[in-house]
């Protein structure tokens, strides 16, 4: 058996029961697990901080240090405040985090929602309640991104400062006020 | 009581919960997550569900009192949480009642919501009573009973 460190999964869900369930499912598959109860806490954990001073219309996540090693993020879609979809977007917009695979969970089977998440870069969309069979699908995504990460790292370090300014200008999130999770 | 007899009783009780349509496959999924290191996983998660449910029932009751007009969005959001919690433990019938309630919310039917909520509370209370009896019996029968497979 390969002597690799265990994969570390960050699970985000506002429901305590669902956090308990996903944690158990992930641990059964030998993942290290961190659970948080909101997207905001997830971003904090990942080292992203909302920088609302940049523009008055949109907020741009600026990156401080990142000293946690997260290999996959699995998040509920419908959460109060920042939704799983918003979290997904922020992660994909982030230079340092965009290669981390993100999986969305939802109790609602809404095709347009599923498509939107997949288009935004989610690797998988799991219908709740999440089951062992779903979690078994995660390893391939993790293996893939572990290999990709090693290759990309060297290139990225050279490009980093040159691209950062370009990325900042390109990021724009439309102002969305969501009272509840509708598709 | 003889150990084997106890275990048969527990199995029969569980089967009856399935036969009555009160529980679904998700409950079995929970049992499969139980092992020697986590011997009480199912009961722990179901206990959390009771806590969630009590809180949500109170909130929904409160919201139903705030009429003229009813805040259907709020009710739907609360029921969405209730449904999620019920679904996660495999509470089949309760989940179905949650869905019905939400349909009434979307239709803007106050009457429908009230009726459906009364039914939901009945279903929830019935399930809870049966599950409490089930876990009590399972505990008496011995630790191997609730796990479907040992890891």
């Amino acid at each position: 058996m390969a002597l690799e460190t265990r994969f570390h999964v960050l699970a985000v869900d506002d429901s305590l029961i669902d956090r308990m369930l996903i944690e158990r499912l992930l641990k059964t598959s030998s993942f290290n697990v961190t659970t948080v109860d909101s997207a905001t806490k997830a971003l904090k954990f990942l080292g992203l901080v909302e920088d609302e001073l940049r523009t008055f219309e949109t907020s741009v996540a600026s990156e401080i240090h990142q000293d946690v090693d997260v290999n996959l993020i699995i998040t509920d879609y419908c959460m109060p405040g920042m939704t799983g979809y918003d979290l997904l977007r922020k992660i994909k917009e982030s230079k340092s985090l965009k290669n981390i695979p993100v999986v969305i969970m939802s109790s609602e089977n809404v095709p347009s929602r599923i498509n939107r998440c997949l288009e935004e870069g989610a690797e998988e969309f799991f219908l709740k309640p999440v089951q062992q069979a779903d979690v078994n699908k995660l390893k391939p995504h993790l293996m893939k991104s572990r290999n990709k990460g090693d290759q990309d790292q060297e290139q990225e370090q050279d490009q980093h400062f040159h691209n950062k300014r370009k990325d900042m200008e390109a990021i724009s999130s439309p102002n969305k006020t969501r009272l509840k999770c509708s598709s | 009581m003889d150990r084997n007899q106890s275990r048969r009783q527990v199995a029969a009780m569980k089967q009856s919960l399935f036969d009555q349509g009160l529980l679904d496959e998700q409950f079995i999924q929970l049992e499969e997550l139980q092992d020697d290191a986590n011997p009480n996983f199912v009961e722990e998660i179901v206990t959390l569900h009771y806590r969630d449910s009590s809180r949500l029932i109170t909130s929904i009751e409160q919201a139903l009192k705030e009429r003229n007009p009813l805040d259907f969005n709020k009710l739907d959001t609360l029921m969405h949480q209730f449904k999620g919690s019920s679904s996660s433990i495999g509470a089949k019938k309760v989940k179905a009642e949650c869905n019905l309630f939400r349909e009434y919310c979307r239709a803007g039917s106050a009457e429908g919501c009230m009726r459906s909520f009364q039914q939901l509370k009945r279903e929830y209370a019935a399930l809870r009573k049966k599950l409490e009896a089930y876990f009590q019996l399972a505990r008496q029968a011995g630790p191997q009973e609730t796990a479907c497979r040992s890891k």
Side-chain angles (χ1 to χ4, degrees):
Chain A
M1 196 156 113
L3 287 172
E4 280 186 351
T5 48
R6 285 182 163 201
F7 289 118
H8 181 196
V9 178
L10 176 65
V12 191
D13 201 317
D14 60 315
S15 156
L16 176 55
I17 287 188
D18 288 345
R19 281 201 302 282
M20 193 170 157
L21 185 54
I22 194 70
E23 181 175 27
R24 188 79 200 96
L25 282 166
L26 290 167
K27 282 185 172 166
T28 300
S29 294
S30 302
F31 293 120
N32 282 340
V33 187
T34 300
T35 61
V36 292
D37 64 9
S38 74
T40 317
K41 286 188 188 155
L43 287 176
K44 281 207 183 105
F45 185 80
L46 293 163
L48 284 188
V49 165
E50 285 288 333
D51 187 348
E52 285 164 58
L53 299 174
R54 296 262 169 185
T55 68
F56 60 93
E57 265 183 344
T58 65
S59 52
V60 172
S62 69
E63 294 146 42
I64 48 179
H65 63 279
Q66 190 211 332
D67 55 4
V68 286
D69 200 10
V70 170
N71 305 116
L72 183 135
I73 297 156
I74 181 164
T75 177
D76 188 24
Y77 182 93
C78 242
M79 294 186 290
M82 196 187 292
T83 67
Y85 179 74
D86 297 330
L87 177 61
L88 167 66
R89 290 198 69 188
K90 292 243 187 286
I91 289 165
K92 292 305 168 188
E93 285 164 6
S94 155
K95 199 82 172 82
S96 58
L97 302 177
K98 66 181 184 186
N99 288 326
I100 302 179
V102 181
V103 170
I104 308 281
M105 307 179 276
S106 177
S107 55
E108 321 265 80
N109 189 352
V110 182
S112 58
R113 173 183 295 184
I114 297 172
N115 287 332
R116 202 149 52 104
C117 289
L118 294 175
E119 274 164 26
E120 198 59 41
E123 304 288 337
E124 297 268 2
F125 190 104
F126 293 159
L127 280 178
K128 283 180 161 185
V130 177
Q131 300 189 341
Q132 198 62 61
D134 298 312
V135 173
N136 292 343
K137 292 182 194 168
L138 297 177
K139 279 248 165 79
H141 294 296
L142 286 158
M143 295 309 303
K144 192 177 68 181
S145 82
R146 175 163 276 181
N147 293 336
K148 186 180 194 300
D150 291 339
Q151 285 167 13
D152 284 352
Q153 210 171 21
E154 278 185 21
Q155 287 175 17
E156 275 190 358
Q157 272 161 3
D158 297 335
Q159 291 284 318
H160 181 74
F161 286 107
H162 172 67
N163 283 341
K164 193 166 177 137
R165 201 196 141 101
K166 251 173 54 176
D167 282 347
M168 290 302 187
E169 288 165 25
I171 289 167
S172 63
S173 346
N175 196 11
K176 278 188 276 231
T177 325
R178 248 192 218 98
L179 287 176
K180 73 166 192 166
C181 280
S182 49
S183 247
Chain B
M1 185 183 285
D2 161 65
R3 239 311 132 105
N4 284 332
Q5 202 177 357
S6 281
R7 287 182 183 170
R8 275 197 297 272
Q9 267 200 327
V10 174
M13 199 185 259
K14 184 164 69 173
Q15 188 56 45
S16 133
L17 290 171
F18 280 94
D19 292 341
Q20 290 170 66
L22 296 177
L23 291 178
D24 63 29
E25 157 74 15
Q26 177 61 15
F27 193 82
I28 298 182
Q29 290 282 321
L30 293 183
E31 290 188 320
E32 289 183 357
L33 289 172
Q34 201 158 266
D35 59 16
D36 296 330
N38 301 271
N40 301 309
F41 180 71
V42 188
E43 198 174 355
E44 281 166 14
I45 219 175
V46 171
T47 303
L48 277 180
H49 168 68
Y50 297 153
R51 232 177 54 186
D52 254 6
S53 304
S54 298
R55 177 181 55 85
L56 288 164
I57 285 173
T58 304
S59 298
I60 294 169
E61 252 158 4
Q62 190 53 46
L64 284 170
K65 285 193 184 129
E66 292 157 10
R67 313 198 64 175
N68 304 317
L70 274 186
D71 187 345
F72 288 111
N73 272 344
K74 185 175 181 181
L75 286 167
D76 189 61
T77 302
L78 289 169
M79 193 50 78
H80 169 84
Q81 290 177 52
F82 200 127
K83 178 200 153 184
S85 181
S86 305
S87 169
S88 291
I89 67 146
K92 188 176 180 181
K93 230 180 200 180
V94 173
K95 181 167 105 168
E97 283 303 327
C98 293
N99 283 333
L100 192 57
F101 183 96
R102 294 183 78 195
E103 275 173 41
Y104 284 125
C105 281
R106 281 164 209 164
S109 164
E111 182 59 42
C113 283
M114 308 275 238
R115 256 185 302 128
S116 166
F117 186 56
Q118 295 311 315
Q119 182 62 19
L120 188 148
K121 279 194 289 183
R122 278 192 288 268
E123 297 289 351
Y124 168 73
L127 176 63
R128 180 166 173 167
K129 195 167 169 196
K130 289 178 177 162
L131 282 175
E132 280 170 351
Y134 169 74
F135 284 119
Q136 188 170 30
L137 197 62
R139 259 181 273 126
Q140 284 166 13
Q144 289 305 312
E145 187 47 43
T146 47
C148 277
R149 59 172 84 116
S150 50
K151 293 211 166 104

